[in-house]
Amino acid sequence: MSDNIISIKDLRFGYGNRELHKGINMQFPRGKVSAIMGGSGSGKTTILRLIGGQIKPTAGQVSVDGTIVHQQDREGIYRLRRKMGMLFQHGALFSDLSVFENVAFPMREHTDLPENIIKDLVLLKLNAVGLRGAAYLMPTELSGGMARRVALARAIALDPDIIMYDEPFAGLDPISMAVICDLIRTLNDALGATSIIVTHDVAETFSFADYVYFIADGVVAAEGTPKQLMTSKLPFIKQFIHGEKDGPVPFHYNAPSLNSDLGL
Amino acid sequence: MKTLFNFFEKLGNSITSRVLRLGAATRLIFLIFVYSGDSFKRIHLTIREVYFTGVMSLVIIVVSAFFVGMVLGLQGYYTLQKYGSSEAIGVLVALALVRELGPVVTALLFAGRAGTAITAEIGLMKATEQLSAMEMMAVSPIARIIAPRFWAGVIAMPILASIFSMVGVLGGYVVAVPIIGVDEGAFWSQMQANVDFNFDIMSGLIKSLVFGVACTIIALFEGFDAPPTAEGVSRATTRTVVTSSLAILALDFVLTSFMISG
């Protein structure tokens, strides 16, 4: 069994004529929390979609537990996805189901467990994210942070080997953010899972991630532990980590000079 | 010259996108049949959708049918009395409803009420990543979401059209017999003698079944294909009503032609 549960080799992918990934290599070790960071539109979420087999690379490969994802048929991809849990940016809870039913959904779909066991398991999962008391609320009655925690309980419903988080901190208040940070680390260690977080929140991610990849211009611009990256001299990493307005990522979108646009 | 090129470019793009959408719709229909087996294993999902598309549409269907029947009774009476055959009002109301108005008006109302609801629901599920979440949980949205709604529409439409016709006849009766004073015996006996089960009622049922398939497929496809934005869902909902209405009227002509010639 390889130490890396997910391996990405020479990955290339694009939408239409726009090449998003120009040869990306990444390794995600078992049991670790890894983060993929980069600016908006750099293709971070697309990497999660490639790992989940929702889209196919134009070149290179993504392998999960030794299986090359894009070579699988639908059944094969579904088998792989049963090893994965995914937290979407805004939770993606099923709006017609209660919190309880949302968490029970994967159990009902993929197991033949009796109702009393499902009930116990759902309550345990909700307890793990601190929302056992909200079991019978509807998603519309939850705050953004609560919805994210319910979605996390649903993502871990079947004790997956891999948990993927797409922008888990987006739009959260500081308390909810701290709760989610803590849950990601705690659940990863308690379940013995491997976590991949796609985010651009530096402070939160650096506080608990084991390893971080930075993507820029379609390639891995830098990688390392949070400690190594904090001291990085690379201009892009410095700009990103310290939130500088101008740098390798320019403030202005490509445009002719202001004078020519104003006819001066 | 450049304008001409632009025109042909736009024309080409428009044709290509329509052909692509037609291909995607055909693929969706194919997948619905492929996944229907999985869907029937969870029959409660289809039953739930029959409730949402069928039972929840009952009020609009019953009220509309009653008024349509009453209008038919009034219009029919004033035309028939000129020829001294006002007793045939029952036949006129029944045939108009069973053969044409029942299936067609039900389908138009269904497209407006249930069709738009289906498109908006699926479009929003797509926009809020609920369909992607389902896919990532190794659950097919076609089996779990699309196929149950398709079969619910196919089951609900003929039942709704039959209810429409029955309530419409009742509306015609209320106007013709108690209000205008047409003989009650003539009203019902002429209807019984002249409405044929195999030709009139069955042709109405076949029409409503075909309309049910068309309306539901259009609503499902528009929702499934909607761009995941507020504007995209809104446009898809509008397209559902427009396309369904045109499809119903065109199919009605085609089916009527076959039924009358056959």
Side-chain angles (χ1 to χ4, degrees), chain A residues 87-99:
Chain A
L87 177 75
F88 284 81
Q89 192 170 353
H90 297 289
L93 294 177
F94 302 131
S95 45
D96 57 334
L97 300 180
S98 68
V99 165

Side-chain angles (χ1 to χ4, degrees), chain B residues 184-206:
Chain B
E184 187 173 1
F187 183 92
W188 292 117
S189 62
Q190 290 234 10
M191 193 189 297
Q192 198 175 357
N194 291 294
V195 178
D196 182 67
F197 179 80
N198 287 327
F199 182 67
D200 301 318
I201 295 177
M202 282 310 287
S203 67
L205 278 175
I206 291 168

Side-chain angles (χ1 to χ4, degrees), chain B residues 17-227:
Chain B
S17 75
R18 275 160 213 270
V19 170
L20 283 173
R21 272 169 62 79
L22 190 65
T26 311
R27 185 171 176 269
L28 182 70
I29 296 169
F30 174 74
L31 287 174
I32 287 173
F33 285 102
V34 168
Y35 283 101
S36 286
D38 284 351
S39 179
F40 289 142
K41 284 180 197 160
R42 304 167 204 148
I43 196 71
H44 66 280
L45 294 175
T46 306
I47 293 168
R48 199 182 83 130
E49 293 308 322
V50 169
Y51 175 80
F52 283 121
T53 53
V55 180
M56 298 292 276
S57 302
L58 262 181
V59 175
I60 190 173
I61 294 291
V62 168
V63 173
S64 308
F66 198 71
F67 283 117
V68 167
M70 289 201 294
V71 169
L72 271 180
L74 275 175
Q75 293 279 16
Y77 175 77
Y78 284 107
T79 307
L80 288 172
Q81 71 161 351
K82 289 180 190 168
Y83 305 99
S85 47
S86 54
E87 290 78 16
I89 183 72
V91 186
L92 185 144
V93 169
L95 286 182
L97 282 164
V98 168
R99 281 193 200 169
E100 281 301 325
L101 291 175
V104 171
V105 178
T106 304
L108 291 173
L109 293 170
F110 183 89
R113 196 248 158 234
T116 50
I118 290 172
T119 303
E121 186 187 17
I122 294 174
L124 278 173
M125 287 182 87
K126 189 178 174 189
T128 54
E129 296 187 304
Q130 292 180 47
L131 298 183
S132 292
M134 209 171 269
E135 272 280 351
M136 280 306 294
M137 281 185 251
V139 176
S140 164
I142 306 282
R144 190 74 175 52
I145 302 288
I146 305 290
R149 281 162 178 76
F150 171 74
W151 289 111
V154 172
I155 293 166
M157 183 74 90
I159 299 171
L160 288 173
S162 305
I163 292 170
F164 188 99
S165 298
M166 284 190 281
V167 177
V169 167
L170 196 67
Y173 168 84
V174 167
V175 163
V177 179
I179 298 174
I180 296 176
V182 172
D183 180 65
E184 187 173 1
F187 183 92
W188 292 117
S189 62
Q190 290 234 10
M191 193 189 297
Q192 198 175 357
N194 291 294
V195 178
D196 182 67
F197 179 80
N198 287 327
F199 182 67
D200 301 318
I201 295 177
M202 282 310 287
S203 67
L205 278 175
I206 291 168
K207 276 185 182 179
S208 59
L209 192 71
V210 174
F211 296 160
V213 172
C215 283
T216 318
I217 287 284
I218 289 167
L220 289 168
F221 174 69
E222 289 295 351
F224 205 62
D225 195 50

